[in-house]
Amino acid sequence: MNDIIEEKYLDAVKGLDENILQDVNKWYDHIYNLPTEQQIVYTVSILNWQVKNGGFHQYFFNSYGIFAFLTLKNLEELKLFEIKNILSEALSLVNYEDLEEDEFKLKIFDREIKKITDFDEELFENLNNLDDSYYSISDEEIFNSLEKYLKIE
């Protein structure tokens, strides 16, 4: 990660403490209300770190999936369409009940989506296939898009 991206990420996480991280609305609002460039760096970096570290299952299981809808918008802004399509597919698999965004955020945060918390074999396998697609995208491509966006802004 280059300096400008790291700086924006560190600015984004300033003030994120246990009090905020334990409340879905406070956490989401903190990120949502950040300056756009910090929000984009946070959501895209978190997605990348979580998926590269443990896959989409980990991303949703660790509650970062509360940002999935917002991350889709941010990936569009960065013109990272391949990643957007992969995340969109993962989101539709996890949100199999087609919940509205606010209800989905609560269920992900509260670990009430049983197919995620119970490691449903079919969902896990389908997400694993999306992980493989995601892994074919280099960090360099992601960080170059972020850097280009930040230099334009």
Side-chain angles (χ1 to χ4, degrees):
M1 180 181 330
N2 77 14
D3 292 343
I4 190 169
I5 297 170
E6 185 173 0
E7 177 186 321
K8 295 298 179 190
Y9 180 83
L10 291 174
D11 287 343
V13 298
K14 276 184 187 158
L16 275 182
D17 58 24
E18 286 304 310
N19 177 48
I20 292 173
L21 295 172
Q22 292 177 2
D23 182 310
V24 65
N25 293 317
K26 287 181 184 177
W27 186 17
Y28 186 86
D29 289 346
H30 176 90
I31 300 306
Y32 185 80
N33 292 315
L34 288 170
T36 304
E37 54 191 28
Q38 290 177 23
Q39 179 199 104
I40 288 174
V41 167
Y42 180 85
T43 57
V44 173
S45 296
I46 288 294
L47 172 70
N48 190 52
W49 292 330
Q50 288 292 304
V51 175
K52 294 274 174 103
N53 186 43
F56 280 103
H57 186 272
Q58 176 175 302
Y59 174 74
F60 289 102
F61 186 83
N62 288 346
S63 298
Y64 292 105
I66 68 171
F67 300 110
F69 289 94
L70 183 58
T71 304
L72 287 171
K73 179 181 79 74
N74 292 337
L75 290 166
E76 175 89 21
E77 182 70 29
L78 293 175
K79 298 178 179 23
L80 287 169
F81 302 116
E82 185 178 3
I83 297 172
K84 180 186 177 216
N85 291 340
I86 295 169
L87 175 58
S88 181
E89 195 170 335
L91 178 59
S92 66
L93 289 170
V94 174
N95 189 13
Y96 54 90
E97 294 179 83
D98 202 26
L99 304 170
E100 294 294 319
E101 182 178 354
D102 287 338
E103 188 176 358
F104 179 77
K105 285 188 311 197
L106 289 173
K107 286 195 171 214
I108 280 292
F109 185 81
D110 292 336
R111 294 197 168 144
E112 293 178 355
I113 296 184
K114 293 296 179 202
K115 287 187 175 188
I116 287 289
T117 57
D118 294 348
F119 291 80
D120 178 81
E121 193 173 316
E122 182 181 351
L123 176 62
F124 197 83
E125 185 176 314
N126 288 331
L127 290 176
N128 196 40
N129 290 335
L130 292 174
D131 295 342
D132 292 340
S133 297
Y134 190 95
Y135 298 151
S136 71
I137 301 164
S138 71
D139 287 344
E140 186 177 338
E141 180 181 343
I142 296 164
F143 291 124
N144 283 346
S145 292
L146 278 169
E147 186 177 285
K148 182 179 175 187
Y149 173 80
L150 293 172
K151 286 184 177 177
I152 291 171
E153 287 302 301

